[in-house]
Amino acid sequence: MRTLPLVSLAIVTGAAVGIGGPLLDASASPSASALGAVLVAGWCYAAIPFCLGMASTSKLKAATVGTTALLITVVSYYSIKAAKGDFRTVDLSETSGREFFSWGEFASTTLFWCLAAIILGPLLGVAGWMARQGVIRLPFQLCVPIITLAETIMRLQVEASRASSPAVWVWESVCATSIALIVLLIGVAAWKKRDRRSPA
């Protein structure tokens, strides 16, 4: 894919996930909230630079668009959270209990995850490129499904008792899909290897 459309796709995807995730996650609608839970999940964030990397024509482009998309997602996410009042705190020095916006908390949290995006964005972007064009592809192809499986298992163990039924159903579905995808990718790789070894 050419550079300009790929950069545009990175910007649109990052903004859509970063904005849509927290808005849907806080929705009163169970189905919208379940979709929001997917969009704010770590595996979804990992999939963005990975998929953009797969669409890239070079490792450099993969690293660049992956990092760009992840930074936009993070900034959009925390900007929406701030607009919704997540960084408001109480002034304990006053008896009135006046609330104010904590710029320090907002800046430090956003900066921390931006730094994480700067580190993980290139790695995931290049992993996506390697999954499609690398000499050894299977370990890179398994990257996002394994991240997804690990996170959904953790969510189901820790948060299932506090989450709504639609959200639990979504996590179970995502977990099952990731297992199926891992098995499929390994099976396809084994089949291709067997075909290469078999005599003509």
Side-chain angles (χ1 to χ4, degrees):
M1 187 179 286
R2 293 180 180 177
T3 303
L4 187 57
L6 193 59
V7 171
S8 300
L9 182 61
I11 294 170
V12 171
T13 304
V17 173
I19 294 170
L23 290 178
L24 291 171
D25 193 37
S27 173
S29 167
S31 56
S33 179
L35 177 59
V38 169
L39 293 179
V40 300
W43 67 264
C44 183
Y45 276 48
I48 294 172
F50 184 87
C51 291
L52 289 167
M54 290 184 71
S56 300
T57 55
S58 70
K59 290 181 182 179
L60 179 59
K61 287 180 181 178
T64 302
V65 295
T67 306
T68 300
L70 210 50
L71 282 170
I72 291 171
T73 309
V74 167
V75 172
S76 300
Y77 175 84
Y78 284 109
S79 297
I80 294 298
K81 296 284 278 185
K84 288 170 56 60
D86 278 35
F87 293 97
R88 297 194 67 80
T89 187
V90 177
D91 188 352
L92 298 177
S93 64
E94 293 186 8
T95 55
S96 62
R98 180 179 62 88
E99 286 190 349
F100 67 96
F101 184 79
S102 177
W103 285 101
E105 184 183 356
F106 169 73
S108 61
T109 303
T110 305
L111 179 60
F112 174 82
W113 287 109
C114 281
L115 290 174
I118 290 170
I119 295 169
L120 296 174
L123 296 176
L124 290 164
V126 171
W129 185 89
M130 292 291 291
R132 185 180 178 189
Q133 303 187 47
V135 177
I136 301 174
R137 300 179 184 179
L138 182 60
F140 299 100
Q141 292 172 349
L142 293 174
C143 184
V144 172
I146 288 173
I147 291 172
T148 305
L149 180 61
E151 183 181 9
T152 50
I153 288 174
M154 180 274 295
R155 281 180 176 269
L156 286 168
Q157 289 177 340
V158 176
E159 301 179 23
S161 61
R162 303 194 303 268
S164 62
S165 296
V168 172
W169 181 84
V170 167
W171 291 335
E172 289 174 344
S173 300
V174 170
C175 186
T177 302
S178 64
I179 292 171
L181 187 56
I182 289 169
V183 172
L184 177 63
L185 289 169
I186 293 173
V188 169
W191 183 269
K192 287 181 178 179
K193 187 174 182 180
R194 178 187 173 189
D195 279 356
R196 285 196 298 266
R197 287 184 174 179
S198 63

